[in-house]
Amino acid sequence: MRDVAVLGLGMHPWGKFEEKSTTELCRYAVEAALADSGLNWREVDAIAAASSRFSGGKGWGLNGNDVVEDMGSTGIPVYNMSAGCAAGANAFNIGHMLVASGSHDVVLVVGGEKMPKGFIQTSGIDDYTDPEFLRQRCVGLPGPGFWALLCRRRMHEYGTTEEDLAAIAVKAHKLGALNENARFRKEFTMEEVLNSAMVSDPLRLYEICPVSDGAAAVILTSAEVAQKMTTSPIWVASSAVATARFDDGLPRGLACPPPSGRAHHSEAAIAVKKAIAAAGVEHSDIDLIELQDNTVYYELAFPEEWGFCKPGEAESLVAKGETMPTGRLPINPSGGFQSFGEATTAQGIFQICEVGWQLRGESGGRQVPNAKIGLAQSLGLGGNATATILRR
Amino acid sequence: MLVCASRSLDAAPGQEVLLSSSRQIPVEDGLFSWPSDSPHLIASKCSACGVVTFPSQGSCPDCGGREVGEIPLSRRGKIWTWTIQNLPPPSPPYRGNTDRDTFEPYGVAYIDLPEGVRVEARLSENDPEKLAIGLEMELVIQKFGDDADGNELVTFAFKPVGD
């Protein structure tokens, strides 16, 4: 397998853009990534795109085809990857393989999304054999309710307080305020978070992410191409994809068996473990993590489930500032989903852009000092997860 | 499945008192026995590895085997975790009430049942003060909403034992 460079990074800021199409958001991100790489559209020889069920793609998730038709139909292969909210990083995984395998030298990875208002409708098709459909039809539990169930259990097991949860939202918005691509650039006080509306007990409005519009793009190239364009490329250390194990204790439909160990997101844990092994690094080598913080709860649970700290230790790391860019375990220096909102299928690529900028030292006030290795992780419906490690 | 309801007001152990004279229709078929004086959830059990799945399905989600048979689940279990849903969920597919003016918050929990299955279910209770992890719960069939023809939709839920 060949080394793969991350040569170009581009992002349309996250927000709500009534007047713009998904294609326009993607074009902005693609042009930014191309300009950043120094390459042009005619030099791109394959696309891996995130498939959306909410916007663009002709209703078939053909979002990469939309990009080709807009940028110029040059006859290149387009791979549209569907993996729920993990689609962006799933597309990155395919893009990585296309270059690593020697099939292609310059690959565009792109994801763009315009989200409908309100709770994400995870199932809309009348498929009575789909457990997700039955769950939403007969119980009615949107994402925040699922996160609330997990968070309640954590409070029971570790004594996590409402203040512990709010502290993570305060930290996220402190960093989001420093990020020109974030949708929410205002800091919140602990009191403001604790006074925000209760959505699904114990999670409040400012402790879950809303939905947003946005697009992000990455140009991946062979080492040969990269070394012609720059003397200091960022490299893909590893890219891993996983799905959930049946016995991890989290019902994806209406039921599951109680696990023998701790209930956890096995898909994310497997992907991160695989990525760390494939990169040949130790946990302690990783200078920052961009993880999927749909809710502040995940900033507590994920570092523990992946072995970055001990079970029950995460609250104290947050309280001591260790998850800030200058701390021992920087988490979501971008401001995370809390500051961006979730443009579902574009999220995985936004995370990879942030890790790339951090490794280049281009992250301004939210910069992790001397960051050399970074991890990005995403999670999607269907028990999908990805993990990507970049290094400089 | 359409069921003409002409039930007495003395509810059997598994029933909420349903006063309506309209038809009572399960929100989806195949999830629970109904009508029944002692309703239960319908699961499937793999004859090869013993894994129990709800709802019943034609293959084992663990080993993939197709030798599965239906079994009734116990009516009592314990709360593993719980929440209160304070806002209406997306509809469709949700079949309950989503009118913002009349929406009532509802409880949802994971209930651990003795057959070795953790079930996601509605709760009859929506007061956080009355819910706790470890609380013993009992299956009930309760009103979920109304369909377009004026029939009453009923679903499975759990209530605190002794309530």
Side-chain angles (χ1 to χ4, degrees):
Chain A
M1 298 286 265
R2 303 193 297 175
D3 286 340
V4 179
V6 183
L7 193 61
L9 305 167
M11 189 187 293
H12 186 290
W14 260 228
K16 290 307 287 180
F17 306 103
E18 302 285 337
E19 73 290 359
K20 289 189 183 181
S21 67
T22 307
T23 302
E24 285 175 275
L25 299 181
C26 285
R27 185 172 189 115
Y28 184 100
V30 171
E31 286 183 341
L34 283 170
D36 189 43
S37 72
L39 301 172
N40 66 58
W41 173 248
R42 301 272 153 187
E43 292 170 284
V44 173
D45 49 31
I47 292 185
S51 278
S52 168
R53 67 161 292 209
F54 297 110
S55 58
K58 311 173 203 311
W60 291 73
L62 304 176
N63 295 72
N65 298 81
D66 289 348
V67 170
V68 165
E69 288 169 11
D70 182 56
M71 295 292 297
S73 298
T74 54
I76 57 175
V78 174
Y79 300 87
N80 292 295
M81 301 309 299
S82 182
C85 301
N90 214 291
F92 182 92
N93 178 264
I94 295 301
H96 173 248
M97 283 198 279
L98 291 173
V99 178
S101 66
S103 297
H104 298 280
D105 289 323
V106 179
V107 173
L108 165 67
V109 180
V110 59
E113 187 81 271
K114 281 173 67 87
M115 291 297 293
K117 285 180 186 158
F119 290 125
I120 295 174
Q121 195 164 313
T122 48
S123 172
I125 303 164
D126 283 358
D127 182 352
Y128 299 88
T129 62
D130 174 14
E132 177 66 18
F133 171 83
L134 285 174
R135 194 168 89 79
Q136 297 304 342
R137 189 155 178 90
C138 307
V139 177
L141 192 74
F146 173 66
W147 308 325
L149 287 170
L150 303 185
C151 192
R152 166 72 57 201
R153 184 70 199 183
R154 183 180 181 88
M155 294 170 100
H156 174 77
E157 289 180 359
Y158 295 124
T160 309
T161 64
E162 288 216 37
E163 288 73 18
D164 289 332
L165 301 174
I168 300 163
V170 170
K171 167 233 160 217
H173 287 290
K174 194 173 280 182
L175 294 165
L178 299 169
N179 191 338
E180 65 277 11
N181 286 314
R183 175 177 172 190
F184 304 105
R185 302 199 57 197
K186 177 179 171 296
E187 292 195 29
F188 288 109
T189 64
M190 173 82 81
E191 198 179 17
E192 285 172 312
V193 177
L194 290 173
N195 286 331
S196 65
M198 188 68 86
V199 175
S200 293
D201 196 327
L203 293 174
R204 296 177 180 277
L205 187 63
Y206 294 168
E207 293 165 347
I208 58 174
C209 74
V211 290
S212 288
D213 306 336
V218 168
I219 304 291
L220 296 176
T221 73
S222 62
E224 195 182 8
V225 171
Q227 279 152 358
K228 280 183 204 155
M229 307 303 294
T230 175
T231 53
S232 54
I234 302 299
W235 301 97
V236 183
S238 63
S239 168
V241 171
T243 52
R245 282 183 57 96
F246 168 68
D247 57 1
D248 70 1
L250 301 187
R252 267 72 180 187
L254 280 171
C256 73
S260 50
R262 292 183 55 76
H264 70 296
H265 275 286
S266 57
E267 64 274 51
I270 295 168
V272 169
K273 190 177 176 186
K274 281 169 68 178
I276 287 174
V281 298
E282 305 288 336
H283 285 72
S284 57
D285 296 330
I286 292 173
D287 298 309
L288 73 133
I289 303 172
E290 279 286 321
L291 60 77
Q292 185 156 335
D293 61 325
N294 291 101
T295 160
V296 295
Y297 162 79
Y298 283 141
E299 277 206 41
L300 298 174
F302 279 159
E304 297 177 0
E305 291 174 10
W306 305 342
F308 283 91
C309 62
K310 294 190 201 96
E313 191 188 7
E315 287 83 352
S316 68
L317 289 179
V318 176
K320 290 178 198 155
E322 298 289 10
T323 58
M324 286 289 281
T326 50
R328 182 155 62 85
L329 184 64
I331 295 176
N332 292 355
S334 66
F337 289 26
Q338 303 296 311
S339 304
F340 275 70
E342 188 175 16
T344 54
T345 57
Q347 271 339 99
I349 305 171
F350 130 68
Q351 294 177 313
I352 287 165
C353 285
E354 173 67 13
V355 171
W357 284 320
Q358 287 283 349
L359 300 187
R360 289 179 183 172
E362 296 173 358
S363 295
R366 62 183 198 283
Q367 179 66 45
V368 173
N370 197 29
K372 292 190 179 72
I373 297 175
L375 165 68
Q377 166 274 338
S378 66
L379 199 67
L381 186 69
N384 285 295
T386 67
T388 310
I389 297 177
L390 305 184
R391 63 180 166 83
R392 70 172 156 98
Chain B
M1 181 173 64
L2 296 179
V3 180
C4 281
S6 56
R7 299 185 170 278
S8 87
L9 294 185
D10 302 319
Q15 292 170 235
E16 296 283 84
V17 178
L18 296 164
L19 292 168
S20 167
S21 60
S22 64
R23 291 159 185 267
Q24 294 174 345
I25 303 176
V27 61
E28 289 300 335
D29 284 342
L31 297 175
F32 50 89
S33 58
W34 190 255
S36 168
D37 289 340
S38 182
H40 59 261
L41 299 179
I42 302 165
S44 52
K45 184 171 185 174
C46 175
S47 63
C49 68
V51 160
V52 176
T53 309
F54 174 75
S56 166
Q57 65 179 63
S59 70
C60 173
D62 193 12
C63 76
R66 295 192 64 86
E67 297 288 316
V68 294
E70 283 192 355
I71 60 161
L73 291 179
S74 295
R75 296 171 39 78
R76 285 193 179 190
K78 286 185 175 169
I79 291 182
W80 186 73
T81 185
W82 60 274
T83 185
I84 306 293
Q85 179 66 29
N86 283 315
L87 296 167
S91 178
Y94 182 66
R95 284 193 92 180
N97 178 27
T98 54
D99 184 291
R100 279 187 178 256
D101 295 331
T102 58
F103 176 82
E104 294 234 12
Y106 52 81
V108 177
Y110 290 162
I111 308 287
D112 281 350
L113 297 177
E115 287 77 16
V117 64
R118 175 171 292 166
V119 173
E120 179 180 309
R122 290 285 282 263
L123 302 176
S124 61
E125 185 58 68
N126 69 358
D127 178 357
E129 298 299 318
K130 294 183 179 166
L131 295 170
I133 287 171
L135 195 65
E136 201 174 349
M137 306 293 281
E138 185 174 31
L139 182 76
V140 291
I141 303 303
Q142 67 177 20
K143 179 171 177 175
F144 189 62
D146 300 295
D147 73 7
D149 302 323
N151 298 309
E152 189 169 81
L153 295 172
V154 294
T155 195
F156 65 99
F158 283 84
K159 68 165 192 171
V161 168
D163 232 24

